[in-house]
Amino acid sequence: MLQRPRRNRKSEVIRQMVQETHVSAANLIFPLFIIDGVNQKSEVASMPGIFRYSIDNLLREIESCLKLGLKSFDLFPNISEELKDKFATESYRDESLYLRAIREVKKNFPEACVITDVAMDPYSSDGHDGIVENGVILNDETLDVLGKMALAHAQSGADIIAPSDMMDGRVGYIRNVLDDNGFTNVSIMSYSAKYASAFYGPFRDALNSAPKFGDKKTYQMNPANQREALIEAELDEIEGADFLMVKPALPYLDVIKLIKDNTELPVAAYNVSGEYAMIKAAIQRGWLNEQRAITEVLTSIRRAGATAILTYHAKEVLENKWL
Ligand code: PBG
């Protein structure tokens, strides 16, 4: 035998020397849930170890992450039901929980990278990402709301705006609004290929944001489609996106790879709430080794082509020095 591939695996030193893929703190983005009140911290039942924080506790949480070298955060608000309406007006009210949180984080930690979620669902009395009329999700009318929301986020200090709504044309629309108002330096991380997935269940529990009727299949993508992701990615690139995101991550590694092979932009992947819940449930039952399962998941997402990973595991892998 001339070729014996096992020679390159014979010791830890050589295995590390030839390792192709690495995950580091710099690649990780930590999603954080925010609730109203003071000194609040409530665990998401379906996401053990993940909490909703009031703003004061959010600042403490971010401080402890920064000490670990975790510097990028994606914020999501839990909005009380009485503040929701058909047009998600709470999303751009100056004193809203979310805008106050962005301002406080940037004031206390200017070095942190704050990513904000642009979509109507946490603020919508219909629980949808767009304006609903007679059961139909309106596209162009929704863009106006998304533009107002994105502008409010930029004015509050957001570094990166992440539209997660899947309306057509929203990246270009938001880019125009930002530029017209002098925010040419605020980036857009577009949820380009966002699938109508079962794996968002725990997130909707965390925010109480599930659709009040129907599903999201007229705007989020069909899980059976791969080529369609290229159309979405190409449009977002033309419209001015700085990052292209694939979501969820694990069931869509092929899509991450496909988009990576077809763009020069950095690709992000969202290792979503249901993926986290699945791993944690198996670990709690003693069915998986925690460190090995989690690092294998994150490595596989990087190997598929993701530059940045949004993951609920971000803090624990650094805290436990698993990377
Ligand atoms: C809202 C949004 C969702 C997620 C991120 N932004 C849920 C949805 O589209 O219903 C899911 C994140 C996760 O499951 O971790 N537009």
Side-chain angles (χ1 to χ4, degrees), residues 17 23 70 91 102 107 187 245-246 270 293:
M17 187 191 296
V23 184
L70 179 54
S91 66
I102 299 168
K107 188 176 89 190
S187 320
M245 194 204 295
V246 175
Y270 201 141

Side-chain angles (χ1 to χ4, degrees), residues 192-193 195 221 225-234 246 255 258-259:
S192 299
Y195 287 87
M221 288 174 54
N225 293 355
Q226 189 193 59
R227 311 278 317 155
E228 192 181 345
L230 288 175
I231 300 175
E232 290 285 358
E234 192 182 332
V246 175
V255 179
L258 180 69
I259 292 188

Side-chain angles (χ1 to χ4, degrees), residues 251-281:
Y252 300 90
L253 293 178
D254 58 325
V255 179
I256 297 173
K257 167 91 173 114
L258 180 69
I259 292 188
K260 177 73 177 179
D261 288 344
N262 284 280
T263 185
E264 278 74 52
L265 289 177
V267 175
Y270 201 141
N271 177 219
V272 300
S273 58
E275 299 174 59
Y276 177 89
M278 196 163 63
I279 290 273
K280 285 290 169 183

Side-chain angles (χ1 to χ4, degrees), residues 31 33 47 74-76 117-122 127-129 162-166 191 194-204 207 209-211 216 219-220 245 247-248 270-276 310 312:
F33 300 127
M47 301 177 75
D74 195 1
L75 306 180
F76 296 96
D117 192 69
V118 169
M120 288 177 59
D121 53 333
H128 276 285
D129 295 32
S164 69
D165 54 284
M166 290 300 279
Y191 287 67
K194 176 171 180 177
Y195 287 87
S197 170
F199 290 92
Y200 308 147
F203 173 98
R204 294 177 189 172
L207 298 190
S209 64
K216 298 192 174 184
Y219 45 108
Q220 298 180 350
M245 194 204 295
K247 175 185 180 181
Y270 201 141
N271 177 219
V272 300
S273 58
E275 299 174 59
Y276 177 89
L310 297 98
Y312 302 95

Side-chain angles (χ1 to χ4, degrees), residues 66-168:
L66 290 171
K67 285 188 183 136
L68 296 166
L70 179 54
K71 297 176 186 166
S72 297
F73 307 93
D74 195 1
L75 306 180
F76 296 96
N78 177 304
I79 303 294
S80 58
E81 210 53 45
E82 68 272 13
L83 292 173
K84 300 183 183 181
D85 61 28
K86 281 196 84 61
F87 302 99
T89 53
E90 177 65 10
S91 66
Y92 49 89
R93 188 175 64 85
D94 198 48
E95 279 309 303
S96 72
L97 170 67
Y98 196 61
L99 299 182
R100 280 187 287 125
I102 299 168
R103 289 195 289 263
E104 283 297 315
V105 174
K106 284 309 288 187
K107 188 176 89 190
N108 286 276
F109 311 107
E111 73 276 30
C113 174
V114 172
I115 301 169
T116 60
D117 192 69
V118 169
M120 288 177 59
D121 53 333
Y123 317 90
S124 151
S125 46
D126 294 306
H128 276 285
D129 295 32
I131 297 173
V132 180
E133 195 179 87
N134 303 323
V136 174
I137 316 299
L138 303 180
N139 193 88
D140 299 12
E141 292 77 354
T142 297
L143 297 181
D144 177 56
V145 180
L146 300 177
K148 286 181 179 148
M149 205 184 303
L151 179 58
H153 294 179
Q155 287 166 336
S156 302
D159 297 282
I160 302 177
I161 307 278
S164 69
D165 54 284
M166 290 300 279
M167 296 301 120
D168 292 336

